Amino acid sequence: MAGRLEGKVAVITGGGSGIGRATTLRFLSEGACVVVADYNPASGEETVSLAKEEGYGDRVLFLRTDVAEEAQVVSALQAAVQRWGRLDCVFNNAGVGGAFGPITHITVEDWDYTFAVLVRGVFLGIKHAARIMKAQGQGGTIINTASIAGLSGGDGPQAYSAAKAAVINLTRATAIELAPFRIRVNAICPGGILTPLIHRGNPEPLRAFLQKFQPWPEAGQPEHIAGVALFLASDDAHFVTGAAIVADGGATACGAFAARHLRDGSPLPMEGLVGVDRGTTGEMPVLRPLSGGE
Ligand SMILES: NC(=O)c1ccc[n+]([C@@H]2O[C@H](COP(=O)([O-])OP(=O)(O)OC[C@H]3O[C@@H](n4cnc5c(N)ncnc54)[C@H](O)[C@@H]3O)[C@@H](O)[C@H]2O)c1
């Protein structure tokens, strides 16, 4: 039986880890060709090795890409066109935790870094995907990873939360603009997903936490989000555009329930610290303790 993405060509940013890696492997299993575009060359190449082990070696390539840099985003999309002759889908998924700490202590540099990766990266992915897809004249599909943090103020640090809200409305605005060209633009809002971004190589303690984070009785896995991305990339989503699809095991459905769990007496993960989290890019986070009285 033909896969659901047979003959389609996709670029997946952040494809070196977590949600991006799971989506790369899922898209490949459904017949797509995939460019893995990631800042971290080690994890990007590891995704390609995993794909090769599954027998998809001729349909995948890695390109080291910083999504905050326009020329590098263009190169990643052009790599797909040069290798496979077209571009059908771009998954703007790369992300980091970004700036955290009290609003009174967040530096402009850390704020700008957060928005450069999470918002400028998505803007550039949409801009250049749309140029290529419009020129092809056969439509296309653009998927952006937002977060449930973009739907409230309580599910992430301030900059992250604001950036993900921006991704949701950028998705809606560009979906309207690109609909006449049959280019669909949608966002996915994951809840807590057990990826290296949040477990940093030690998933078990976090798995226990995430099992209680939402009503659904198991921790969110990257494969759960890959399934949503597959739907949005496929022709089954023909009439779906401008949507922000929540995939969170019911976390947002129960509102403050999750917040009560978080505040059951255990300290919040970054309590007492200020700095910036550069995710799984291979670059170290900067952590500074908050001094007394701050
Ligand atoms: N894990 C969660 O609980 C969760 C929840 C909601 C939303 N998200 C979002 O899902 C997306 C994927 O996150 P994940 O959990 O799979 O994290 P992850 O750390 O496992 O993977 C993210 C990937 O993005 C790459 N990346 C970071 N900065 C980049 C840049 N400037 N250019 C190119 N690549 C870059 C990293 O190197 C990494 O490979 C992110 O946008 C994140 O904000 C995650």
Side-chain angles (χ1 to χ4, degrees):
M1 205 175 79
R4 290 165 71 187
L5 300 181
E6 211 67 50
K8 306 273 190 199
V9 178
V11 174
I12 299 182
T13 75
S17 181
I19 292 167
R21 173 177 288 175
T23 305
T24 298
L25 296 173
R26 187 74 200 273
F27 277 23
L28 288 166
S29 76
E30 296 286 344
C33 300
V34 179
V35 174
V36 174
D38 201 290
Y39 187 95
N40 187 330
S43 57
E45 293 291 6
E46 196 177 88
T47 297
V48 170
S49 298
L50 290 169
K52 284 183 177 159
E53 281 169 24
E54 300 286 322
Y56 308 133
D58 55 339
R59 286 193 281 117
V60 63
L61 65 87
F62 167 68
L63 199 69
R64 201 266 172 179
T65 309
D66 183 348
V67 296
E69 296 292 333
E70 186 158 22
Q72 296 187 29
V73 173
V74 171
S75 296
L77 303 187
Q78 284 301 338
V81 177
Q82 277 157 16
R83 178 71 177 265
W84 293 297
R86 55 181 297 104
L87 180 67
D88 301 286
C89 174
V90 173
F91 186 21
N92 295 307
N93 165 75
V96 294
F100 62 87
I103 195 74
T104 45
H105 290 67
I106 290 171
T107 65
V108 169
E109 185 195 11
D110 292 348
W111 178 274
D112 286 350
Y113 166 75
T114 311
F115 268 68
V117 177
L118 296 181
V119 186
R120 191 201 301 162
V122 173
F123 152 61
L124 292 173
I126 298 172
K127 172 181 173 179
H128 292 288
R131 283 188 174 190
I132 294 169
M133 290 169 181
K134 282 170 84 169
Q136 287 176 170
Q138 296 173 326
T141 168
I142 299 171
I143 306 161
N144 306 318
T145 305
S147 169
I148 60 168
L151 299 170
S152 79
D155 281 322
Q158 312 88 330
Y160 184 87
S161 187
K164 292 301 191 180
V167 169
I168 293 169
N169 247 18
L170 180 61
T171 298
R172 294 179 177 132
T174 51
I176 296 165
E177 180 180 337
L178 297 173
F181 305 96
R182 296 181 179 274
I183 299 168
R184 297 186 289 104
V185 190
N186 291 289
I188 304 175
C189 299
I193 308 296
L194 199 58
T195 72
L197 181 68
I198 55 176
H199 70 56
R200 299 301 161 91
N202 186 18
E204 287 321 311
L206 201 72
R207 187 190 306 277
F209 171 82
L210 288 181
Q211 276 165 355
K212 293 189 301 178
F213 179 76
Q214 74 274 308
W216 196 257
E218 68 190 87
Q221 299 290 340
E223 290 75 16
H224 298 148
I225 306 306
V228 180
L230 171 61
F231 164 67
L232 290 172
S234 77
D235 293 340
D236 286 343
H238 182 84
F239 199 51
V240 182
T241 196
I245 297 184
V246 172
D248 69 349
T252 48
C254 66
F257 174 86
R260 279 205 304 278
H261 269 275
L262 277 171
R263 285 162 183 75
D264 65 357
S266 44
L268 295 173
M270 297 297 188
E271 208 162 280
L273 295 169
V274 64
V276 66
D277 167 15
R278 298 182 189 276
T280 57
T281 56
E283 296 200 354
M284 296 306 288
V286 177
L287 306 175
R288 298 186 302 276
L290 276 173
S291 49
E294 290 180 323

